[in-house]
Amino acid sequence: MAMQASTIRPDIEVGEANWGAVLALSLGAFALVSSEFMPVSLLTPIALDLQITEGQAGQAISVSGAFAVVTSLCIASIVGRLDRKVLLLALTGLLIVSGTVVAIAPNYEIFMVGRAVIGVVIGGFWSMSVATAMRLVPQDKVPRALAIFNGGNALATVIAAPMGSFLGGLIGWRGAFFGVVPVALIVFVWQWLSLPSMNIKGQKASGNVFTLLKRPVVALGMAGVGLFFMGQFTLFTYLRPFLETVAHVEVSTLSLLLLLMGVSGFVGTLLIGSFLKDDSIYRTLIVIPVLMAAIAVVLLIFGGWGAAAALLLALWGLFATSAPVGWWTWLSRTLPNNAEAGGGLMVAVVQLAITLGAVVGGILFDASGYQLTFSVAAILLVGAAILAFLTSWKARQP
């Protein structure tokens, strides 16, 4: 199908950009991602309090990921023509419920129920993000809106773990989780005041998100997204043992390096919009994984030198955090009339790719160390670039 057809959006009419609503959703993304990754720095106190192992406590992240995948695949068909403002407010309400349930959980089972609820919010919010951006701003401003959404995500990624650790030491792990609730309440009120009514018009999209894969450009693009995230997390998940054993960094230095990656990623989300014009988006989607593959290779050679590792990780954060904005923008242009179903499919692909990347990376790291792990990550990223090129080629076919 021709790329030009993707610019037609008969059910979405946008006048002036509603940046207030975009910022409200960005703050919502910040609260959501902060809650999602809060357990990372609180496993030990959670395990001690609930009388479980740290491994069981760590499943708090796994269960939220699983529910995010299921929700992302079915939410568009379940909610039907429900006003998307109501849906987003409901999801924010569930975020408040999740934080409260987790904070007061008397046992492990209730704790996991609260974490399952946050998974539903994750899948629902990110599935709707592209379609929501398309309803809040004119089409030429969609990349900027998506970058602002992802800016909240990037900021939460930077501070979620240290914030959780700090609050956990100050007011306990339950207080740390409940600390997200006031932020979510602010988001709820802000969304209530700023979001317009977003009723669904036109023909109802297919409830089966997998039918979208019948379009070769969509199938190739989703495969490219999957390889990109798999390659990214094959390396990223095992950065800490690499830095500790190869670069010999101390814990304080490690935290500083991770903070540097997060800050550079946030900067990347601010800059990426100018590289996502109609005639350059595919070039960006091709170049970024190639650059990240090159970084992985250079880390193999110079990663033992602390200054070089810091520079390379800053560049990694810059590219890795901004790339998703590119793929979300691609989705908005390729599936303008199926952005919700397409968003659900992409969320599922990304979640599964992250899991596979972590699993594959772990197997390789245990078996052969960082050399093979980083090499395979580079190969996967090159594969993502190739698939992005093929997606570009297919999009231009009549």
Side-chain angles (χ1 to χ4, degrees):
M1 295 187 182
M3 189 66 176
Q4 288 79 0
S6 68
T7 60
I8 300 173
R9 306 189 304 168
D11 66 325
I12 304 175
E13 297 179 2
V14 180
E16 294 185 1
N18 187 341
W19 294 114
V22 171
L23 290 171
L25 291 170
S26 181
L27 182 60
F30 170 80
L32 176 58
V33 175
S34 295
S35 182
E36 179 183 5
F37 291 109
M38 191 77 74
V40 171
S41 58
L42 296 169
L43 293 183
T44 300
I46 291 172
L48 288 173
D49 190 9
L50 297 179
Q51 298 182 338
I52 56 177
T53 67
E54 290 187 350
Q56 288 176 304
Q59 296 307 310
I61 294 177
S62 301
V63 73
S64 62
F67 273 81
V69 170
V70 174
T71 302
S72 66
L73 291 175
C74 62
I75 190 170
S77 59
I78 290 176
V79 300
R81 300 184 186 279
L82 179 68
D83 185 340
R84 286 341 187 216
K85 175 177 181 176
V86 174
L87 176 59
L88 288 168
L89 288 171
L91 290 171
T92 305
L94 286 177
L95 175 58
I96 295 169
V97 170
S98 171
T100 304
V101 169
V102 168
I104 65 175
N107 53 48
Y108 181 58
E109 290 74 19
I110 300 300
F111 173 78
M112 292 298 277
V113 168
R115 293 302 299 174
V117 172
I118 200 66
V120 172
V121 182
I122 293 166
F125 177 84
W126 290 114
S127 297
M128 297 290 147
S129 61
V130 170
T132 302
M134 294 168 69
R135 293 185 175 102
L136 294 177
V137 300
Q139 187 174 5
D140 63 332
K141 300 293 192 300
V142 168
R144 183 184 300 175
L146 291 172
I148 292 172
F149 285 177
N150 215 57
N153 176 15
L155 186 60
T157 303
V158 173
I159 70 171
M163 179 178 67
S165 180
F166 173 76
L167 291 176
L170 190 66
I171 56 177
W173 71 267
R174 295 178 184 273
F177 274 103
F178 193 75
V180 176
V181 172
V183 179
L185 284 169
I186 293 172
V187 171
F188 186 92
V189 173
W190 194 354
Q191 289 178 347
W192 180 279
L193 296 174
S194 64
L195 284 174
S197 178
M198 293 181 284
N199 294 304
I200 305 303
K201 303 176 183 178
Q203 184 178 1
K204 185 179 179 180
S206 171
N208 184 0
V209 299
F210 295 106
T211 59
L212 299 175
L213 296 175
K214 293 180 179 179
R215 291 181 57 182
V217 68
V218 175
L220 287 169
M222 291 297 175
V225 171
L227 274 190
F228 174 81
F229 277 93
M230 187 175 176
Q232 177 185 346
F233 281 85
T234 295
L235 185 149
F236 176 73
T237 308
Y238 302 95
L239 269 180
R240 176 165 183 163
F242 165 77
L243 292 170
E244 289 176 334
T245 58
V246 178
H248 304 291
V249 301
E250 301 293 334
V251 175
S252 58
T253 306
L254 176 65
S255 299
L256 185 61
L257 289 175
L258 295 177
L259 177 63
L260 179 63
M261 286 182 63
V263 171
S264 65
F266 181 73
V267 172
T269 63
L270 300 179
L271 300 176
I272 188 68
S274 59
F275 297 95
L276 299 177
K277 307 299 182 183
D278 286 341
D279 58 347
S280 62
I281 182 171
Y282 281 112
R283 188 182 309 121
T284 302
L285 295 176
I286 294 167
V287 169
I288 285 180
V290 170
L291 292 174
M292 290 174 63
I295 292 171
V297 173
V298 177
L299 271 173
L300 288 171
I301 303 171
F302 297 106
W305 181 28
L311 175 60
L312 291 168
L313 292 180
L315 291 173
W316 178 277
L318 181 74
F319 298 130
T321 308
S322 58
V325 179
W327 279 111
W328 284 118
T329 302
W330 166 82
L331 180 70
S332 73
R333 295 175 185 171
T334 305
L335 295 170
N337 301 319
N338 254 319
E340 292 181 354
L345 181 59
M346 184 175 286
V347 170
V349 168
V350 169
Q351 291 284 344
L352 291 173
I354 289 173
T355 301
L356 284 174
V359 170
V360 169
I363 294 172
L364 295 175
F365 199 90
D366 289 342
S368 301
Y370 74 92
Q371 294 92 338
L372 182 59
T373 305
F374 286 18
S375 297
V376 170
I379 292 170
L380 290 170
L381 288 165
V382 170
I386 293 172
L387 284 169
F389 171 78
L390 293 175
T391 305
S392 170
W393 173 76
K394 194 64 183 177
R396 289 175 170 80
Q397 300 303 303

